[in-house]
Structure formats: C-alpha cells, structure tokens
Amino acid sequence: MDARLNYFAGPTASKAAKQFMAVGRSLKNSELPALTQELVALRVSQINGCAVCVDMHTKEAAAGGETSVRLNLVAAWREATVFTEAERAALELAEEGTRVADAAGGVSDEVWAHAAKHYDDEQLTALVILVSFMNSVNRLNIITRQPCKGDYEPGMFG
C-alpha cells in the first residue's frame, strides 16, 4: 500500500506539516509526565485505528522505560490494575475526548473532575492539546492511508 499523499512534497503542505508537528514536539517539554503522554497517545491511536501512531507510541513508550505488560494492557486499561489513578484519569479523558460523537456531550463533568484531581491546569492543558493533536495526526494518517511497515525507531522524528 502506498500513501495517497506525501505531506512534505509540496511547499504549502510541507510548511503546514512541519508547523503542525512542532505542536507535538512542544508537548514533550510540558509538565505532563512523558510516559503518561505516550500512554494517552497510544490509546487515542488504538481507538482511531492508526497503525503508524500505534507503532510509534508503543516504541517511544518502551524506549522511555514503559513495560511490555502495561503497553499490552492499554487497550483494556479499565480492567487492568497496573495503571495509577492519575494515568487512569488521563486515559479516561483521552477516550471521552476522542469519542466525542459517541459521548454526545463530549467529556463529562465527572471525567473532567477526576482528571483535575490528578493534574494541575498546566498539565490539563497539555493533556487536552495532546488528545486533540493525536486525533488530528491519526486522521491525517488514516485519510491518506499512510502505510505502517512497523519500522519506526524511537526518536526518528525528534
């Protein structure tokens, strides 16, 4: 399978894609814990079925010290006991933020309050931007059928 588009081929798309990806890189330096960021990015990508991002964030999390047990259980985090309450709150917010059409009301007050118990405003801001960013990246990859060869190497994109 070949990608429908190369986002870096044309001048307009290349400029926009580079600026867009800079948003993702800026989140890496936020106060939201790095492994929480990877777990959230992985869960959003699993929900959306973005193989490119599942491959990337699984490997980035592993390179950052995440265990294979926890990575394998992200898809079933509600039943798994290996996640902290803070991580569970982030994953729940990520799910409701991704499934806005399914939830009809978006992110519930209960889910928001649970996340706010574990993260300050700066971390919540990073979490919300991360969920939105990952949903956008997933859609860019899925719409253009970006192929996943499973060959992502941690740190490949900075």
Side-chain angles (χ1 to χ4, degrees):
M1 173 170 69
D2 292 327
R4 291 175 170 163
L5 285 175
N6 177 347
Y7 290 116
F8 298 99
T12 301
S14 178
K15 183 178 179 182
K18 286 177 185 172
Q19 290 175 349
F20 186 72
M21 296 313 286
V23 170
R25 285 191 298 279
S26 70
L27 291 171
K28 297 285 185 200
N29 298 321
S30 75
E31 295 178 24
L32 187 63
L35 288 178
T36 300
Q37 290 185 46
E38 295 301 338
L39 294 174
V40 165
L42 175 57
R43 185 65 190 127
V44 170
S45 301
Q46 288 172 335
I47 292 167
N48 289 325
C50 182
V52 171
C53 292
V54 168
D55 184 45
M56 175 190 297
H57 294 290
T58 300
K59 291 174 179 174
E60 288 290 347
E66 191 55 83
T67 68
S68 60
V69 169
R70 285 169 40 97
L71 288 173
N72 291 332
L73 290 172
V74 168
W77 67 269
R78 289 179 191 278
E79 292 80 27
T81 60
V82 297
F83 300 104
T84 67
E85 278 304 307
E87 291 166 338
R88 297 171 72 74
L91 290 166
E92 187 172 38
L93 186 112
E95 283 193 3
E96 283 199 7
T98 298
R99 294 182 165 141
V100 292
D102 299 337
V107 175
S108 69
D109 290 339
E110 294 79 19
V111 168
W112 183 262
H114 189 216
K117 279 178 34 183
H118 298 282
Y119 301 102
D120 63 25
D121 284 351
E122 186 68 22
Q123 292 169 317
L124 280 171
T125 299
L127 181 57
V128 168
I129 293 170
L130 175 61
V131 171
S132 300
F133 175 76
M134 286 309 305
N135 274 285
S136 295
V137 171
N138 290 166
R139 281 154 178 75
L140 288 169
N141 287 334
I142 292 165
I143 290 167
T144 59
R145 292 189 180 161
Q146 296 297 317
C148 179
K149 299 174 186 167
D151 59 353
Y152 179 82
E153 295 290 329
M156 241 171 102
F157 298 125

